Amino acid sequence: MKPDQLEEYRAQLDAVESNKRNMQRLHNLCDGASNAMLESLVPNLQRAARLGEEHARACYLSRGPNYDASGFVNHPEWLAAYRGSVSSMIDSGIAAGDWKVVDLLRNAYQPDAQGLLSGVLGADPYQYYRYLKLYRLGAEPHLVEKLNKQVVAAAAQLIPDQLAEADAWAETTFHTNFNAGNSTESTVAGWDPCGFPYE
């Protein structure tokens, strides 16, 4: 394997191991939880996300009411609440310089994307390019070549005026909100939007 492939593979293995540890912690934390407590997971997750807790925001944007699939069946109103929350959570995530939100958006807007967030946002080549370009501006060096190819392919779907506007937005947003570090440090391959830190 090439060094960058090895690094990505190592990051994926680290993410799997981290998820395994988090699942064990979750089992320990949830031991003895009542049904009422478990049914409050999605509303509490949404509340924490609205209040700006970054881990809750990433998880809620990613999974929304699907965070508790059995509860979702009994509470179809959770979908309307999710739809109504997405826009403000995206805005607050971008304003806070949250790379997890950028990664979720670039994946949700990409062509043929599947998932709850993609379904709510809909296909939009312009938005896809904007978030991909922003992500590329903060990417770690070993991802730059791959992201550059994606940016070129996405740019081909836009007219020159759209391209200029999107580039200007990405540059301004990056320098205004995202000077805290590299995007891929918090969004390594295989990262789990609902992987909450417990230590």
Side-chain angles (χ1 to χ4, degrees):
M1 288 179 132
K2 294 179 182 177
D4 61 330
Q5 289 175 316
L6 279 172
E7 186 61 34
E8 191 168 330
Y9 185 65
R10 186 178 298 115
Q12 289 175 350
L13 288 175
D14 289 346
V16 168
E17 188 60 35
S18 175
N19 288 343
K20 180 181 171 186
R21 286 192 303 270
N22 282 337
M23 288 306 295
Q24 186 56 49
R25 287 186 194 118
L26 276 175
H27 285 292
N28 294 340
L29 285 171
C30 294
D31 189 32
S34 69
N35 285 337
M37 291 168 68
L38 293 175
E39 269 210 12
S40 71
L41 282 175
V42 171
N44 287 336
L45 181 65
Q46 181 193 37
R47 194 172 301 116
R50 279 187 171 167
L51 292 172
E53 205 289 319
E54 65 176 303
H55 303 293
R57 179 174 50 223
C59 183
Y60 190 74
L61 282 172
S62 173
R63 299 209 185 123
N66 280 337
Y67 187 68
D68 175 10
S70 62
F72 189 14
V73 171
N74 296 321
H75 298 280
E77 70 276 8
W78 287 355
L79 183 57
Y82 177 77
R83 285 179 184 272
S85 301
V86 165
S87 181
S88 63
M89 286 184 197
I90 289 171
D91 291 344
S92 67
I94 297 300
D98 188 343
W99 285 114
K100 292 178 180 180
V101 171
V102 178
D103 192 40
L104 290 169
L105 291 170
R106 78 180 179 105
N107 288 317
Y109 278 121
Q110 72 180 318
D112 301 320
Q114 300 293 314
L116 192 60
L117 185 58
S118 302
V120 168
L121 296 175
D124 188 331
Y126 177 72
Q127 294 294 349
Y128 172 59
Y129 178 84
R130 281 192 348 154
Y131 291 109
L132 178 61
K133 179 72 176 204
L134 176 58
Y135 191 82
R136 161 54 191 92
L137 291 174
E140 290 181 296
H142 72 276
L143 293 178
V144 168
E145 184 180 346
K146 177 182 175 184
L147 288 169
N148 281 344
K149 290 176 183 175
Q150 292 175 355
V151 167
V152 168
Q157 304 302 312
L158 304 179
I159 61 173
D161 286 348
Q162 289 177 313
L163 203 54
E165 287 173 12
D167 285 339
W169 176 87
E171 288 283 346
T172 300
T173 304
F174 177 70
H175 292 294
T176 304
N177 301 344
F178 288 86
N179 280 332
N182 290 327
S183 62
T184 52
E185 289 179 352
S186 62
T187 59
V188 296
W191 74 280
D192 180 3
C194 294
F196 292 90
Y198 295 102
E199 297 177 332

